[in-house]
Amino acid sequence: MSFEKLNLSRRNALKLIASTAAAVPVMGSTGSTETIKKVGSARPATDPDLQNPAITWDFLLNEAELATLATLCSVIIPADNVSPSASSLGAQHYINEYVSGPYDDNKAALILVRGGVVWLNSESNRRFSKNFSGITDVQRSNICEDIKWEKTASPKHQMGARFFAKVRDLTSTAFYTTEEGMADIGYIGNRPSMTFEGPSPEILKRLGLNT
């Protein structure tokens, strides 16, 4: 499968997933966790103030890890003629926020993501004698083809496949909760409207409801 075909197929699949979760609050226009308030709080982590969200923990991933994740995020959702890439919207920073969280699931994700970054760069060096960020798009695609699904990955690629699945999910969440990501799937909710035109004739026909 070519790099272009791989990206197109994955992007369309992620759009379908994202369209079912479009009601998630929109991130800042940059998509970076820098747009979210990060302050100390007297409230425990198990009792968040949802009306005044704040990140109360330190981010744990280092710059080298973020650089690798940024490259992978842009393989998962590259720029096209509709929207920018996931990394340009800060998906890697969202991943950093998530895996740095003080909860059990987040701590497990940190181990998986950190180990996955090491695995990805090791695999890239084994095949192409460079880290993942330093190889070509086609070479990155070759690696991602082997880890894109856990069910189809070989035993030696299972670690990479689990890592890729987690990063794919987090990248999709980050991208499709930005204004640009929502525009990419045509989501127009959370906007005031004086009228409601109803479903289009095409949708009514598809549902068998046209008269």
Side-chain angles (χ1 to χ4, degrees):
M1 180 181 293
S2 69
F3 181 70
E4 292 78 7
K5 186 175 181 180
L6 171 67
N7 285 333
L8 179 61
S9 174
R10 181 180 298 125
R11 193 184 190 95
N12 286 340
L14 293 175
K15 284 183 181 181
L16 292 176
I17 296 170
S19 65
T20 68
V24 177
V26 181
M27 293 171 59
S29 60
T30 64
S32 169
T33 55
E34 294 176 357
T35 65
I36 304 174
K37 184 169 58 177
K38 187 177 186 296
V39 297
S41 173
R43 302 175 69 92
T46 54
D47 183 27
D49 183 354
L50 298 181
Q51 296 300 316
N52 301 286
I55 302 169
T56 60
W57 54 83
D58 293 329
F59 295 164
L60 302 177
L61 298 180
N62 60 41
E63 291 302 317
E65 290 167 328
L66 288 173
T68 299
L69 287 172
T71 302
L72 182 57
C73 288
S74 287
V75 173
I76 294 171
I77 302 181
D80 63 7
N81 59 356
V82 176
S83 58
S85 67
S87 66
S88 68
L89 295 178
Q92 66 275 17
H93 299 298
Y94 171 77
I95 295 172
N96 195 7
E97 175 197 334
Y98 180 87
V99 302
S100 300
Y103 311 102
D104 289 343
D105 287 348
N106 304 74
K107 292 176 181 178
L110 175 63
I111 294 172
L112 178 59
V113 168
R114 273 203 155 142
V117 167
V118 171
W119 180 92
L120 190 63
N121 282 321
S122 296
E123 184 69 9
S124 180
N125 273 286
R126 185 185 68 80
R127 296 191 192 190
F128 308 114
S129 300
K130 292 182 180 179
N131 282 343
F132 190 72
S133 297
I135 60 178
T136 68
D137 288 344
V138 172
Q139 290 169 335
R140 292 175 193 141
S141 178
N142 288 340
I143 295 175
C144 290
E145 281 286 345
D146 290 336
I147 61 175
K148 61 183 180 181
W149 303 116
E150 289 186 66
K151 291 183 179 180
T152 59
S154 67
K156 68 178 181 179
H157 291 139
Q158 282 298 308
M159 164 62 186
R162 289 193 297 272
F163 161 68
F164 188 85
K166 175 59 70 175
V167 174
R168 179 179 58 225
D169 290 348
L170 293 175
T171 299
S172 302
T173 299
F175 180 83
Y176 287 112
T177 51
T178 62
E179 293 178 359
E180 293 87 346
M182 289 189 176
D184 188 271
I185 60 174
Y187 179 71
I188 58 173
N190 296 330
R191 299 180 185 177
S193 176
M194 298 298 294
T195 62
F196 175 64
E197 304 299 331
S200 66
E202 292 80 7
I203 294 297
L204 292 174
K205 182 177 180 180
R206 183 177 299 180
L207 296 174
L209 299 176
N210 58 320
T211 59

